[in-house]
Amino acid sequence: MKKDIGFILLSIDNSKTYDIIFKCLEDMSKDNPYNQVCVFNSQNKRIDNKKTPIFHLNQAKFFNGNLFVFDTVSLLFAKNFVCVDKIYFYVSSPLWIGKQYSNYYEIHNLFNQENLEFIANNQETSDIYEICWKKPITISGDMSYESIKEII
């Protein structure tokens, strides 16, 4: 791992999804003690964050490193941060399924970034993003450290 890693999680609670993410962060920190691994968020209801530093979302604009985002709102924030090297967008389904967008232009503006990389949840999502935008760099169904450590 050569760069500092940040995760934008807009809302954190005590669910199993966040257990997996914080376990991943804990493993990253243990394997790379000289790199910063942190979370940026605006609402935290989690009891145990496994000693991972959590900063307010406003501080993310000053972060110098790579960011992981999990939803479109986080991606909208991250695309305007000038110090971010790469943005890794974890996608579990195509963005436009089940949502109404007025036109293709909105999605194009969101995804048309040189520093944006996709991480797909499954093969089907990977195939869809490859056809529509660009090929995801990896497929990670469980978002564990072992499945993403090659890309960081």
Side-chain angles (χ1 to χ4, degrees):
M1 181 182 338
K2 298 175 182 157
K3 304 261 182 201
D4 295 334
I5 302 291
F7 283 66
I8 295 182
L9 303 171
L10 295 180
S11 179
I12 301 173
D13 59 28
N14 289 310
S15 69
K16 185 166 179 63
T17 302
Y18 294 105
D19 289 342
I20 293 168
I21 291 171
F22 277 95
K23 175 67 175 138
C24 178
L25 295 172
E26 181 183 36
D27 293 342
M28 279 185 201
S29 295
K30 285 180 183 175
D31 273 2
N32 305 288
Y34 299 108
N35 295 96
Q36 296 179 30
V37 177
C38 62
V39 171
F40 299 100
N41 116 306
S42 60
Q43 183 179 7
N44 185 1
K45 295 180 182 174
R46 187 167 178 81
I47 295 169
D48 178 24
N49 61 12
K50 308 226 183 255
K51 300 180 183 173
T52 302
I54 299 176
F55 301 105
H56 193 273
L57 187 59
N58 291 339
Q59 300 301 312
K61 62 186 166 190
F62 304 112
F63 184 73
N64 190 1
N66 297 324
L67 278 177
F68 281 80
V69 297
F70 297 89
D71 57 16
T72 54
V73 177
S74 300
L75 183 58
L76 283 169
F77 283 124
K79 74 181 247 178
N80 296 317
F81 299 157
V82 294
C83 297
V84 173
D85 294 319
K86 286 236 185 234
I87 300 170
Y88 296 104
F89 185 30
Y90 184 79
V91 290
S92 56
S93 65
L95 169 70
W96 50 91
I97 291 182
K99 297 181 176 90
Q100 293 181 345
Y101 287 93
S102 60
N103 58 26
Y104 172 81
Y105 184 71
E106 293 175 11
I107 298 173
H108 182 267
N109 283 342
L110 188 62
F111 289 164
N112 192 24
Q113 303 177 63
E114 288 184 23
N115 66 342
L116 178 63
E117 298 289 347
F118 297 107
I119 300 172
N121 184 30
N122 56 40
Q123 186 62 49
E124 179 184 1
T125 303
S126 177
D127 294 341
I128 292 170
Y129 273 85
E130 183 176 1
I131 292 167
C132 296
W133 298 103
K134 67 179 177 182
K135 182 177 176 143
I137 55 175
T138 191
I139 297 172
S140 173
D142 59 354
M143 195 57 196
S144 66
Y145 176 56
E146 289 76 28
S147 65
I148 63 169
K149 69 181 173 181
E150 291 83 29
I151 64 171
I152 56 174

